[in-house]
């Protein structure tokens, strides 16, 4: 197995909100609550779940666009040959670690400054991180444009002169220019036309091979996540409820929430049908999550224990790491 490049331990991110008529009562939205994950070098870890489940907040914490409320994020340090908690690094080390963790956002239109040309978008972060002189940075930007099948002459153009697909490729090239090790891809194709989604996904897979990248691929579409990922983490209300290799999930998930998500994935075959599991009720508020298992108000297998006790994410006993890879699930059905 490859080495662990990013080790996330008990990560939480809470946002305070004011309530009451005078706004004096404070509550916490538990966007990410006690999440632990290991991300291996060269793999794609997919993170899937409904809107508001905390996947984007988790992604932003990983690249430290958001400061976690609690927990650890450790990044592999080649120099010392061990994992180092990026939240406890010195200012200088922390700055260097930022370059190694990049993010590609969902909306390429708002990810680029409309007042600045593409070359400036490439140049600024490289200059801040001290990567080469002006001529070298121009050369890197031109090379990265070619890598995403765009002509280097386009560097002088402005964002409004490109299509959504081209802009997203520019954003990918821009993050590649920083020579990252891990790229968090936050719904990178969901704002694109269906016709160019596959093209962009295939390009990302090629770049991953060529540059030995590790991806954290966030999306709400399970079929896209399964196509891209080696392993998939399913999130519900800020917590990981299942973590398994993609191929194990295609045989059917273990957690009732994963099963409902999988039942919504269409089968690309004429006349093919499958029984859809319809989830009842709304997603509860992350400011006031249900007791015990957070999924219990919507779960068709809910038992008495589910209302009382929080199920732990544990290795499922019927899976062997040698055969299918580790399959983790948080559900009392498998205790
Ligand atoms: Fe359903 Fe209980 Fe499992 Fe939660 S722990 S998913 S409520 S069976």
């Amino acid at each position: 197995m490859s080495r662990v490049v990013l080790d996330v331990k008990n990560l939480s991110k809470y946002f305070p909100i004011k309530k009451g008529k005078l706004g004096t009562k404070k509550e916490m939205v538990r966007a990410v609550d006690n999440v632990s994950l290991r991300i291996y070098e060269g793999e794609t870890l997919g993170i899937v779940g409904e809107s508001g489940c905390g996947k984007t907040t988790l992604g932003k914490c990983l690249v430290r666009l958001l400061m976690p409320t609690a927990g650890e994020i450790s990044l592999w340090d080649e120099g010392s040959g061990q994992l180092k908690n990026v939240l406890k690094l010195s200012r200088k080390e922390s700055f260097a670690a930022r370059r190694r963790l990049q993010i590609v956002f969902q909306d390429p239109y708002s990810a680029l400054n409309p007042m600045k040309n593409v070359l400036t978008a490439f140049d600024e972060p490289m200059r801040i991180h001290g990567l080469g002189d002006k001529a070298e940075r121009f050369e890197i930007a031109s090379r990265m444009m070619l890598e995403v099948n765009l002509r280097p002459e386009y560097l002088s153009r402005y964002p409004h002169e490109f299509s959504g697909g081209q802009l997203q490729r520019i954003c990918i090239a821009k993050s590649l220019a920083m020579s990252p090790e891990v790229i968090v891809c936050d719904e990178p194709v969901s704002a694109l036309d269906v016709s160019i989604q596959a093209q962009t996904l295939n390009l990302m897979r090629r770049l991953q091979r060529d540059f030995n990248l590790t991806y954290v691929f966030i999306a709400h579409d399970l079929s896209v996540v399964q196509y891209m990922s080696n392993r998939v983490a399913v999130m519900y209300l800020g917590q990981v409820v299942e973590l398994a290799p993609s191929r194990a999930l295609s045989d059917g998930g273990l957690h009732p929430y994963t099963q409902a998500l999988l039942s919504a994935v269409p089968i690309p075959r004429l006349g093919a049908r499958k029984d859809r599991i319809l989830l009842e009720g709304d997603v509860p508020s992350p400011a006031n999550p249900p007791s015990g298992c957070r999924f219990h108000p919507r779960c068709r297998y809910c038992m008495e224990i589910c209302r009382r006790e929080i199920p732990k994410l544990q290795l499922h006993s019927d899976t062997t790491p040698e055969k299918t890879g580790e399959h983790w699930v948080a559900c009392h059905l498998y205790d």
Side-chain angles (χ1 to χ4, degrees), residues 1 8 11 16 18 20-21 34 69 87 116 131 142 153 159 170 177 181 195 208 223 242 259 276:
M1 180 167 281
V8 178
L11 191 81
K18 287 183 179 167
K21 280 186 184 158
N34 204 19
T69 310
L87 306 175
K116 294 185 176 175
L131 299 180
S142 304
E153 299 92 273
I170 289 169
E181 283 153 49
S195 57
Q208 181 175 36
S223 54
E242 188 160 0
Q259 289 167 356
R276 176 97 194 258

Side-chain angles (χ1 to χ4, degrees), residues 148-162:
V148 297
N149 307 326
L150 289 169
R151 289 156 60 177
E153 299 92 273
Y154 291 174
L155 283 169
S156 59
R157 294 189 181 180
Y158 286 78
H160 71 269
E161 297 176 77
F162 295 95

Side-chain angles (χ1 to χ4, degrees), residues 37-335:
L37 290 169
R38 281 185 156 185
I39 301 162
Y40 296 94
E41 188 180 32
E43 77 161 345
T44 299
L45 175 72
I47 299 181
V48 72
E50 290 164 294
S51 299
C53 71
K55 52 193 189 305
T56 293
T57 305
L58 174 61
K60 286 184 177 172
C61 287
L62 294 184
V63 295
R64 286 183 310 137
L65 281 179
L66 288 173
M67 195 63 189
T69 310
E72 284 180 20
I73 302 171
S74 302
L75 181 64
W76 177 259
D77 178 55
E78 197 63 63
S80 62
Q82 58 185 11
L83 290 160
K84 276 192 174 176
N85 186 356
V86 293
L87 306 175
K88 292 201 171 147
L89 294 178
S90 68
R91 219 178 141 86
K92 198 174 156 204
E93 287 176 316
S94 168
F95 185 69
R98 272 176 194 270
R99 183 195 57 73
R100 299 168 60 199
L101 300 164
Q102 293 291 311
I103 186 164
V104 173
F105 292 103
Q106 176 179 7
D107 181 7
Y109 294 95
S110 51
L112 295 168
N113 186 338
M115 309 289 284
K116 294 185 176 175
N117 68 14
V118 174
L119 178 60
T120 313
F122 271 93
D123 193 66
E124 270 181 359
M126 283 196 278
R127 181 170 47 77
I128 290 168
H129 281 271
L131 299 180
D133 59 26
K134 200 171 177 185
E136 284 166 340
R137 294 198 296 268
F138 179 76
E139 199 267 318
I140 294 172
S142 304
R143 212 158 17 92
M144 292 307 141
M145 287 292 273
L146 285 172
E147 287 287 352
V148 297
N149 307 326
L150 289 169
R151 289 156 60 177
E153 299 92 273
Y154 291 174
L155 283 169
S156 59
R157 294 189 181 180
Y158 286 78
H160 71 269
E161 297 176 77
F162 295 95
S163 69
Q166 287 175 324
L167 279 183
Q168 193 59 299
R169 278 188 275 154
I170 289 169
C171 291
I172 294 167
K174 195 165 87 68
S175 62
L176 277 182
M178 303 297 290
S179 308
E181 283 153 49
V182 180
I183 302 184
V184 174
C185 311
D186 185 11
E187 305 255 13
V189 294
S190 53
L192 307 181
D193 291 343
V194 176
S195 57
I196 50 170
Q197 283 188 2
Q199 209 184 351
T200 311
L201 293 175
N202 288 335
L203 171 73
M204 290 177 70
R205 285 173 67 142
R206 176 179 61 77
L207 294 172
Q208 181 175 36
R209 279 195 306 273
D210 293 353
F211 290 84
N212 191 29
L213 297 167
T214 303
Y215 287 150
V216 177
F217 191 90
I218 298 169
H220 61 270
D221 184 337
L222 192 48
S223 54
V224 170
V225 170
Q226 278 182 302
Y227 175 68
M228 285 297 288
S229 313
N230 304 94
R231 294 185 303 140
V232 179
V234 181
M235 284 188 75
Y236 185 77
L237 266 189
Q239 295 182 325
V240 173
V241 294
E242 188 160 0
L243 175 63
S246 278
R247 62 181 185 281
L249 280 196
S250 23
D251 298 338
L254 295 173
H255 197 280
Y257 177 62
T258 314
Q259 289 167 356
L261 287 184
L262 283 167
S263 79
V265 176
I267 305 171
R269 205 171 53 238
L270 203 63
R273 294 192 56 172
K274 66 174 158 183
D275 294 330
R276 176 97 194 258
I277 303 168
L278 289 176
L279 291 178
E280 290 180 3
D282 293 328
V283 183
S285 163
N288 187 20
S291 60
C293 170
R294 293 187 175 185
F295 187 58
H296 87 251
R298 303 170 81 194
C299 181
R300 55 189 183 149
Y301 302 112
C302 180
M303 304 170 283
E304 187 46 41
I305 187 176
C306 306
R307 299 176 217 277
R308 285 186 280 111
E309 277 185 33
I310 300 171
K312 287 197 187 86
L313 189 69
Q314 51 195 347
L315 196 59
H316 181 49
S317 54
D318 287 352
T319 61
T320 53
E322 298 77 30
K323 271 192 197 163
T324 59
E326 291 186 348
H327 196 146
W328 298 76
V329 63
C331 174
H332 290 303
L333 287 174
Y334 306 98
D335 283 350

